[in-house]
Amino acid sequence: MAQKIILDPVTRIEGHLRIDTRVDNGQVIEAWSKGEMFRGFEALLKGRDPLDAPVITQRICGVCPVSHAIASCKAIEAANDLRVPANGHLLRTLVLAANYLQSHILHFYHLSALDFVQVEALLDYAGRDPVLLDLRHWAQGELNSNRVLPVAPFLPKLPGDYPGNREWNLGALGHYVEALDIRQEAHRMAALLGGKIPHTATLVPGGLTLLPEAALLEDFRTRLRRVKRFIENCYIPDLLLAARLFPAYAETGRGVERYLSYGAFDEAGGSWMPAGTVRHEGYAPLDLSLIREETHASFYRGNLQESPQAAAAPVPQPDKPGAYSWLKAPRYDGLSYEVGPLARLKVAAAAGHRPIAQALAAFLREAGLPEHKLASTLGRHAARALEALLIAERMERWLDQVDPAAPAIAPHNNRMTGTGVGLVEAPRGALGHWITLAAGRIGSYQCVVPSTWNFSPRGQGQDPGPVEAALQGTPVNPDFQGLEVARVVRSFDPCIACAVH
Ligand code: NFE
Ligand code: MG
């Protein structure tokens, strides 16, 4: 008999997400991804000074503010024909990359790994590692107290098949603590060039207001090396161990197998990771005119299929019949596409980027993950880990290329008119800001955000969004209360604060 599993709220994410599933015969038959909040950034930007846009849109999210700042700056630059100097691109790229490292490490250790870790392994820890001993004492104290929620954030948790492997359990818990420090280092790197973080102060249309001295760049490099060592010595080995321990998760979460990337990390000659789309027919270059946002199943007035450039801020209608999410449904050529680290690597490999394709193939061999299983729950975690390593390696080169004597910002022309689009790859995938400027004011503003793509509800043709599709076929044990569903969902790294904006 069909049954429902509902996760409400999905915890350890940013924003408010509910997942409904219909389960039959021990498998998810159908799923609904429900954004449970309304925000309205696009509406409040209308009529404001364009220079407010990077400041305000960064506040969409504290996890990926740099991406919103850059997308916003690029949209204004495109409208005004502002040419950012090479140094400005490089410095922005470094701030963005530092934010990626912070975000990917956050996602693995602090948001996702606990789905797979038996935290009770702490309680009989008898070794000498001071971090684990501290954690054990703290956990025991919490359990002996009469608090309603003991040992948060580790407990309470969904019941499930947590593994008995001590190396994994204790390693992940110890690295959970170490990763807090490492994320702080990555934040410091972003703040060195961004002025502050989250929500930078130096990223403005035209480039960067700060020209770093050599000593600041060396400070950045020292911190980068520490973060990189953590990725090499903890993140990558933990991921490889997870791949050995959880082979079943290479069999779940396949998804729509269509991927889109705007091209990541601006360098002098274009983006380092290429832009494009991948589907069964293979690689195709990007055609922005094919993007539409549909509102068929969204709590917004009308049944729209709008180009972001033409779209007005959506009008909320919480009682709309048939609607179930505050996210819109972005479609490319009428189809849903997955975005994020997996999509970026797939697009890069399919576009013929040999170094990335080779690194991906070698990593998959080491993880024992066949290429055709990369589209999976485990594959998304693997892609994110490998991407973190590749970015950390590439950052040294970008640092070398910064010229402290060259300009980092273009002079403003104060025209502030016209239309523009700013495209960026945020940690979670393809991010676009579309702006229309009229008489020095924002006429319209439209963000199409990574988690909007991935967590989109059904579109015009009742076709599921990428996460909804990825959940289909997931085997579930009724006693686990949806743990398997949570694992698939979190592999996409949801941010519903961004997705609804
Ligand atoms: Ni709020 Fe974000 C990233 C953006 S995701 S985290 O990465 O843009 O939708
Ligand atoms: Mg939008």
Side-chain angles (χ1 to χ4, degrees):
M1 194 185 76
Q3 132 204 47
K4 283 179 178 172
I5 292 180
I6 296 173
L7 291 177
D8 181 24
V10 178
T11 55
R12 276 188 269 115
I13 65 162
E14 172 58 50
H16 303 279
L17 173 67
R18 166 176 167 151
I19 298 286
D20 285 21
T21 61
R22 192 162 61 82
V23 172
D24 204 2
N25 248 331
Q27 275 199 358
V28 174
I29 303 301
E30 212 175 353
W32 292 265
S33 160
K34 302 182 169 182
E36 298 265 287
M37 63 197 288
F38 173 72
R39 304 193 74 202
F41 271 78
E42 289 153 346
L44 71 84
L45 281 160
K46 194 173 153 78
R48 298 193 70 111
D49 188 314
L51 295 178
D52 288 350
V55 180
I56 291 175
T57 58
Q58 287 192 75
R59 270 74 187 171
I60 288 173
C61 181
V63 187
C64 67
V66 180
S67 320
H68 288 289
I70 296 177
S72 189
C73 290
K74 281 182 158 185
I76 294 168
E77 286 152 8
N80 283 277
D81 211 14
L82 285 175
R83 302 287 161 89
V84 177
N87 231 16
H89 279 306
L90 263 178
L91 291 165
R92 267 186 194 172
T93 285
L94 282 164
V95 182
L96 181 63
N99 181 243
Y100 261 68
L101 300 185
Q102 188 285 126
S103 181
H104 284 10
I105 292 168
L106 159 75
H107 178 258
F108 188 71
Y109 287 103
H110 300 139
L111 304 181
S112 288
L114 294 177
D115 286 344
F116 296 93
V117 171
Q118 192 180 74
V119 289
E120 293 82 350
L122 267 179
L123 297 176
D124 55 5
Y125 177 66
R128 304 170 81 90
D129 182 293
V131 170
L132 290 173
L133 285 173
D134 259 5
L135 268 184
R136 190 194 75 189
H137 286 136
W138 172 68
Q140 279 168 337
E142 290 288 312
L143 284 174
N144 291 338
S145 80
N146 288 324
R147 287 195 203 105
V148 181
L149 291 177
V151 222
F154 298 150
L155 294 173
K157 60 177 191 176
L158 295 173
D161 54 346
Y162 299 95
N165 186 294
R166 286 182 70 77
E167 181 192 358
W168 161 253
N169 288 323
L170 295 175
L173 288 165
H175 296 159
Y176 182 105
V177 176
E178 198 175 341
L180 294 168
D181 271 352
I182 295 299
R183 282 176 50 213
Q184 193 174 44
E185 285 290 33
H187 269 322
R188 286 202 174 109
M189 288 155 59
L192 280 172
L193 297 174
K196 62 185 274 291
I197 198 80
H199 312 135
T200 61
T202 63
L203 274 61
V204 297
L208 214 83
T209 58
L210 171 131
L211 199 51
E213 293 175 358
L216 188 149
L217 294 172
E218 280 316 298
D219 189 357
F220 189 102
R221 193 188 299 271
T222 306
R223 295 177 195 279
L224 169 61
R225 290 193 173 148
R226 182 172 174 217
V227 176
K228 181 160 161 272
R229 274 199 303 277
F230 177 83
I231 294 170
E232 290 165 343
N233 299 334
C234 302
Y235 191 1
I236 295 290
D238 284 343
L239 186 285
L240 294 172
L241 182 54
R244 281 220 309 277
L245 292 175
F246 307 104
Y249 281 87
E251 314 287 344
T252 70
R254 177 171 284 274
V256 292
E257 293 191 271
R258 295 183 292 269
Y259 305 97
L260 180 148
S261 168
Y262 291 151
F265 298 110
D266 294 329
E267 298 185 330
S271 71
W272 167 46
M273 298 172 89
T277 61
V278 175
R279 45 194 285 190
H280 297 305
E281 303 83 64
Y283 173 82
L286 201 64
D287 177 355
L288 287 186
S289 72
L290 299 178
I291 296 176
R292 294 282 181 280
E293 283 199 297
E294 303 185 352
T295 58
H296 177 77
S298 313
F299 292 121
Y300 300 107
R301 194 179 299 163
N303 196 352
L304 308 172
Q305 279 180 299
E306 287 185 312
S307 152
Q309 190 70 73
V315 181
Q317 187 189 344
D319 60 353
K320 179 169 148 183
Y324 64 89
S325 179
W326 286 100
L327 276 68
K328 294 201 269 180
R331 294 292 184 264
Y332 183 86
D333 201 11
L335 298 168
S336 61
Y337 273 71
E338 177 172 342
V339 300
L342 175 61
R344 281 190 288 268
L345 293 181
K346 286 257 190 196
V347 168
H353 192 297
R354 280 177 62 98
I356 292 178
Q358 285 168 352
L360 178 60
F363 191 59
L364 291 179
R365 266 198 306 280
E366 209 180 340
L369 195 61
E371 209 273 330
H372 68 276
K373 293 187 182 176
L374 181 57
S376 66
T377 307
L378 193 59
R380 275 181 209 98
H381 287 291
R384 202 172 286 108
L386 173 64
E387 186 181 70
L389 179 63
L390 297 178
I391 291 169
E393 289 170 354
R394 192 78 178 178
M395 285 170 84
E396 294 249 14
R397 174 196 297 231
W398 294 327
L399 266 178
D400 291 340
Q401 291 170 348
V402 174
D403 176 359
I409 189 165
H412 279 219
N413 55 26
N414 288 320
R415 221 160 29 100
M416 292 299 167
T417 178
T419 63
V421 51
L423 303 178
V424 152
E425 278 292 317
R428 284 154 197 75
L431 170 67
H433 286 197
W434 279 258
I435 197 169
T436 309
L437 301 171
R441 297 273 144 183
I442 296 173
S444 69
Y445 206 97
Q446 187 53 249
C447 313
V448 183
V449 183
S451 292
T452 325
W453 285 97
N454 285 337
F455 287 82
S456 102
R458 283 159 178 64
Q460 199 75 19
Q462 289 297 334
D463 58 312
V467 170
E468 295 178 333
L471 283 166
Q472 286 170 6
T474 305
V476 289
N477 178 331
D479 294 337
F480 293 174
Q481 299 174 14
L483 176 65
E484 304 94 333
V485 172
R487 287 168 171 170
V488 174
V489 168
R490 285 209 192 86
S491 73
F492 285 85
D493 198 355
C495 177
I496 304 306
C498 273
V500 186
H501 50 273

